[in-house]
Amino acid sequence: MSEDQPLLKDLEAGKMSDAKKSIAAATTKRSSAARVASLDVFRGLCVFLMMLVDYGGSVFPIIAHCPWNGLHLADFVMPFFLFVAGVSLAIVYKNVSNRLEASRKVVLKGLKLFVLGIFLQGGYLHGITSLTYGVSIERIRWLGILQRIAVGFVVAALCEIWLPCRKKTKGGFFLNYIWHWCTVLALSAIYMGLLYGLYVPNWQFSVPQTTSLHSSNESHVYKVNCSVRGDIGPACNSAAMIDRYILGIDHLYGKPVYRNLEECKVSNPPSWCYAPFEPEGILSSLMAAVACIFGLQFGHILIQLKDHKERLYNWAMLSFPVLVVGLFLALIGIPLNKSLYSISYMMVTSATAGITLCALYLLVDVCGQRRLTLALEWMGKHSLTIFIFLTSNIAFIAAQGFYWRTPENNIEVSEEGQAPHHVGKDYVDPPPAPLLDLSELKLWSFYRAVIAEFIATLLFLYVTVATVIGHKEQQTAGGPCGGVGLLGIAWAFGGMIFVLVYCTAGISGGHINPAVTFGLFLARKVSLVRAVLYMVAQCLGGICGVGLVKAFMKDSYNRQGGGANSVAHGYTRGSALGAEIIGTFVLVYTVFSATDPKRNARDSHIPVLAPLPIGFAVFMVHLATIPITGTGINPARSFGAAVIFNNGKVWDDHWIFWVGPFVGALAAAAYHQYILRAAAIKALGSFRSNPTN
């Protein structure tokens, strides 16, 4: 028995050891199989941004693709897709037993994605304004979004399969994957050599001539003079030349974004403005593959490190230096250019993708806030399906196939419900104002407009606040007249707006109200620089105007509350905020409607028509809201009175007279632009599902 005891103990110990190993193996299996939620969220964010910029870019050009050099929101979408594809590849191919078989599957998947891209963006589908389909093989577009992702996917996957980790610990991740970085350097060197080293001769192209009634077989030949080497402008870059020689000029994207450049908006633009250009071209796809390999390195960190801090630290140490180098290259003359996929652009956008992954990983996987991003996570898990059915317009095209009784009663994507063939217009929509137009600062007309806003707001506040103080003083005195009454105060505000808008509309636009300026800025009617300086001038004018009232009527001013806005007794701040929102909505909506290019064209014989309804809108709103807040609807009016009167109760309620008007202006701008002018519907047709769109 004494000999059996150790044997039994050994058996029990062996069983316990096996159990522990089984538990550890199961735990390891579950942890390895655990899905990194932040990757799905990142992928969903890419899909969301793509839909946002494709459908909203025509309404808000600041988020659409930059015409040539520079970065807008849309320019981050493609690098983000490539980056997250690279991260995913490190997870998928972390253990490869048969390299040849894995390579075959990679090439096959890439080919399927490439063919799908041709079907969706090659011109076979004619967009949501037409239920027809089909494309001439002579004009099919060979490259596009999915094709570029396919190229990056194949190159990065083959690197991961055939150039594995060297298992060196002292050198860190850089030396462990030194052959990946050698591939990056090789692709970058080839790209730079071809972009700056190829000679671009003079070239020409033809554009079919069409009339408003029919198409003709004639074409106009345009010639572009180049004879240069190393040019990176839209006309003579070698990337476009490579695409023209290999793909053929008829197989390139028909409406390149560089047509939004100022050079192409003049009456007689240069010939290259009419030329097609492939933004997902052959040469730039080399750098797209580099972006995918860059994401692959983030995947290596994710796979090999299990600690959250170590992952975030290594990702940050990889992202920020690349971002700094990319910005440095942009400063020394290598521009941020999405169309050419310049090295500086690749580095800045890829580093931004890395920083975004750090933020999402910290939010979702570390802090566990998955509920905040459930929608994006779902979109990320079904990204390709969403891309096919929504961003490629298939869902909208299918919806137009259903109609009520007659085919004409379907979901029509045309302006104001008119049939698509009604293209004649008696008005011209002005081009959207740039977000930052620093050239305005050099123009005397700009400062003249700022001065006009200052003086107009000063006069507006002086007359109206003086009217309010005079009315209250007469009421207090108990005279036979009792002041002008609420009706007279409303007439004072509305009448002054009518007069001042009429006087200053041709100089500054006659805003006289930061809320109006904010609404017009959201609609891209004024630039950010002009909007900010207008608001500053309006607020200063309001202070000076009320200051004049206090100087001329000091005793009455102090006794009667200074004409300052505050929430009246018996009303809540919520009620006051709602009144300000609705009142400002009425005013800004009237401004948009009165200054609409359509109305200007059709009512041009009545020169005072625009100021008149704006003044009446102010008059009507004052009648409704004077008993509640004294009627703000103009932050400059409320701010000027609050500064000069300087009362605690007034300042406690003052936020209402900024938040309310700005929210109302936002709602009015969205309603007019998206609903009345059908910008949301027209934006649906802006997606590049057809090279001739």
Side-chain angles (χ1 to χ4, degrees):
M1 290 295 293
S2 61
E3 295 179 356
D4 292 340
Q5 292 299 328
L7 179 60
L8 291 174
K9 291 181 180 179
D10 291 341
L11 290 174
E12 290 174 0
K15 290 180 179 179
M16 292 181 64
S17 178
D18 292 340
K20 290 181 179 179
K21 290 180 180 179
S22 300
I23 294 173
T27 304
T28 304
K29 185 176 181 181
R30 284 197 302 270
S31 63
S32 62
R35 193 179 185 102
V36 182
S38 55
L39 281 182
D40 291 322
V41 173
F42 198 164
R43 197 178 295 108
L45 177 64
C46 296
V47 175
F48 171 77
L49 290 178
M50 175 173 282
M51 292 190 292
L52 175 65
V53 299
D54 284 333
Y55 296 147
S58 60
V59 182
F60 300 104
I62 190 57
I63 68 173
H65 288 291
C66 196
W68 194 246
N69 294 331
L71 275 179
H72 287 177
L73 180 62
D75 299 316
F76 287 93
V77 176
M78 174 60 74
F80 279 20
F81 266 120
L82 294 168
F83 175 86
V84 75
V87 177
S88 302
L89 285 174
I91 301 174
V92 175
Y93 296 104
K94 62 180 179 180
N95 294 316
V96 179
S97 57
N98 189 331
R99 293 183 178 181
L100 289 177
E101 180 63 18
S103 301
R104 185 188 68 83
K105 291 182 178 180
V106 163
V107 174
L108 184 60
K109 287 180 181 179
L111 185 60
K112 290 179 180 178
L113 196 61
F114 196 95
V115 172
L116 179 61
I118 294 176
F119 170 75
L120 293 176
Q121 292 188 288
Y124 183 80
L125 303 176
H126 293 176
I128 59 175
T129 58
S130 174
L131 295 181
T132 61
Y133 60 91
V135 61
S136 170
I137 298 299
E138 295 180 348
R139 304 191 66 83
I140 192 172
R141 182 185 176 196
W142 295 117
L143 298 180
I145 295 174
L146 291 182
Q147 295 94 309
R148 168 158 287 181
I149 295 176
V151 172
F153 164 79
V154 171
V155 173
L158 292 179
C159 283
E160 182 68 3
I161 294 171
W162 292 97
L163 304 174
C165 178
R166 297 180 61 191
K167 304 296 182 183
K168 287 190 176 182
T169 57
K170 293 184 179 180
F173 286 97
F174 182 82
L175 291 182
N176 288 350
Y177 292 93
I178 187 64
W179 293 113
H180 288 195
W181 295 109
C182 289
T183 304
V184 167
L185 291 176
L187 292 175
S188 301
I190 294 172
Y191 170 84
M192 294 293 287
L194 293 177
L195 181 65
Y196 290 97
L198 284 182
Y199 175 79
V200 181
N202 299 336
W203 57 285
Q204 64 182 30
F205 62 98
S206 61
V207 176
Q209 296 297 297
T210 59
T211 65
S212 59
L213 298 178
H214 63 276
S215 300
S216 64
N217 293 326
E218 299 179 356
S219 60
H220 187 279
V221 177
Y222 293 93
K223 296 182 179 180
V224 181
N225 296 321
C226 290
S227 300
V228 294
R229 193 188 309 272
D231 188 277
I232 53 175
C236 301
N237 63 83
S238 59
M241 181 189 70
I242 292 173
D243 293 332
R244 290 193 298 268
Y245 275 103
I246 297 178
L247 302 175
I249 195 169
D250 293 331
H251 298 282
L252 308 182
Y253 179 49
K255 287 188 175 181
V257 71
Y258 61 61
R259 292 185 182 179
N260 294 324
L261 290 169
E262 294 298 327
E263 298 95 310
C264 297
K265 292 182 179 180
V266 297
S267 57
N268 188 23
S271 57
W272 53 264
C273 291
Y274 301 98
F277 178 85
E278 184 52 70
E280 277 78 40
I282 296 173
L283 184 59
S284 58
S285 293
L286 296 179
M287 298 312 297
V290 170
C292 206
I293 297 175
F294 184 78
L296 187 61
Q297 310 312 309
F298 280 72
H300 294 153
I301 296 172
L302 179 65
I303 291 297
Q304 298 181 26
L305 299 179
K306 303 303 180 183
D307 184 69
H308 294 317
K309 291 183 179 180
E310 290 184 356
R311 288 175 173 176
L312 290 171
Y313 173 78
N314 282 274
W315 285 342
M317 291 301 296
L318 185 57
S319 298
F320 285 101
V322 172
L323 177 63
V324 171
V325 174
L327 293 175
F328 175 75
L329 292 177
L331 290 176
I332 64 174
I334 301 179
L336 301 169
N337 189 296
K338 188 267 178 188
S339 298
L340 299 177
Y341 221 108
S342 63
I343 286 185
S344 60
Y345 167 79
M346 183 275 298
M347 298 183 77
V348 169
T349 54
S350 297
T352 305
I355 296 170
T356 304
L357 177 61
C358 290
L360 292 176
Y361 182 80
L362 182 63
L363 175 68
V364 178
D365 292 304
V366 177
C367 298
Q369 301 295 326
R370 293 185 65 175
R371 291 185 179 182
L372 299 176
T373 57
L374 279 178
L376 292 178
E377 185 176 347
W378 180 87
M379 293 173 66
K381 292 179 180 179
H382 306 85
S383 56
L384 185 58
T385 303
I386 295 174
F387 178 87
I388 294 173
F389 283 97
L390 291 182
T391 59
S392 293
N393 296 325
I394 290 181
F396 299 104
I397 295 172
Q400 290 186 80
F402 296 94
Y403 57 85
W404 177 255
R405 294 184 179 178
T406 61
E408 290 76 17
N409 294 331
N410 70 336
I411 301 176
E412 191 64 76
V413 184
S414 58
E415 186 175 350
E416 297 182 355
Q418 297 177 351
H421 60 273
H422 293 291
V423 296
K425 295 197 300 186
D426 59 352
Y427 68 95
V428 177
D429 284 311
L435 177 65
L436 288 173
D437 189 4
L438 298 180
S439 62
E440 288 184 314
L441 299 175
K442 303 177 182 179
L443 302 176
W444 162 242
S445 59
F446 173 72
Y447 295 100
R448 182 178 60 186
V450 173
I451 294 172
E453 286 293 312
F454 170 80
I455 296 297
T457 312
L458 183 152
L459 296 175
F460 174 66
L461 265 294
Y462 171 73
V463 172
T464 54
V465 173
T467 302
V468 172
I469 298 300
H471 162 68
K472 290 185 175 181
E473 187 70 13
Q474 288 180 335
Q475 271 192 330
T476 303
C481 295
V484 297
L486 296 184
L487 186 63
I489 293 175
W491 272 119
F493 278 89
M496 280 302 294
I497 287 295
F498 167 70
V499 171
L500 294 172
V501 171
Y502 179 79
C503 294
T504 60
I507 302 172
S508 66
H511 297 190
I512 322 173
N513 186 337
V516 172
T517 302
F518 179 67
L520 294 175
F521 166 72
L522 293 178
R524 301 302 308 281
K525 306 295 183 183
V526 295
S527 68
L528 178 61
V529 174
R530 184 176 291 265
V532 170
L533 289 185
Y534 271 20
M535 292 181 189
V536 172
Q538 291 156 359
C539 290
L540 292 177
I543 294 172
C544 294
V546 181
L548 287 178
V549 176
K550 183 175 181 178
F552 296 159
M553 309 169 64
K554 185 174 183 179
D555 294 336
S556 299
Y557 178 88
N558 291 329
R559 283 195 303 269
Q560 304 303 332
N565 292 116
S566 62
V567 180
H569 180 71
Y571 293 93
T572 64
R573 289 180 176 176
S575 300
L577 180 63
E580 288 295 311
I581 291 174
I582 296 175
T584 311
F585 177 89
V586 173
L587 170 60
V588 178
Y589 168 44
T590 305
V591 170
F592 275 110
S593 299
T595 58
D596 193 291
K598 289 173 152 184
R599 190 177 302 278
N600 288 343
R602 298 164 193 174
D603 300 327
S604 58
H605 58 289
I606 310 177
V608 297
L609 192 61
L612 190 59
I614 296 173
F616 263 109
V618 173
F619 168 73
M620 298 303 295
V621 170
H622 273 74
L623 289 180
T625 56
I626 284 178
I628 304 174
T629 61
T631 308
I633 70 172
N634 185 336
R637 176 257 187 274
S638 303
F639 182 69
V643 169
I644 299 300
F645 188 59
N646 197 23
N647 176 269
K649 173 65 165 62
V650 171
W651 284 117
D652 289 341
D653 297 338
H654 187 65
W655 65 271
I656 295 173
F657 304 98
W658 284 92
V659 175
F662 274 63
V663 172
L666 171 64
Y671 174 65
H672 184 269
Q673 294 294 101
Y674 280 91
I675 306 300
L676 299 187
R677 292 303 304 273
I681 298 299
K682 289 184 283 186
L684 294 177
S686 68
F687 188 69
R688 299 181 300 173
S689 60
N690 187 346
T692 61
N693 276 351

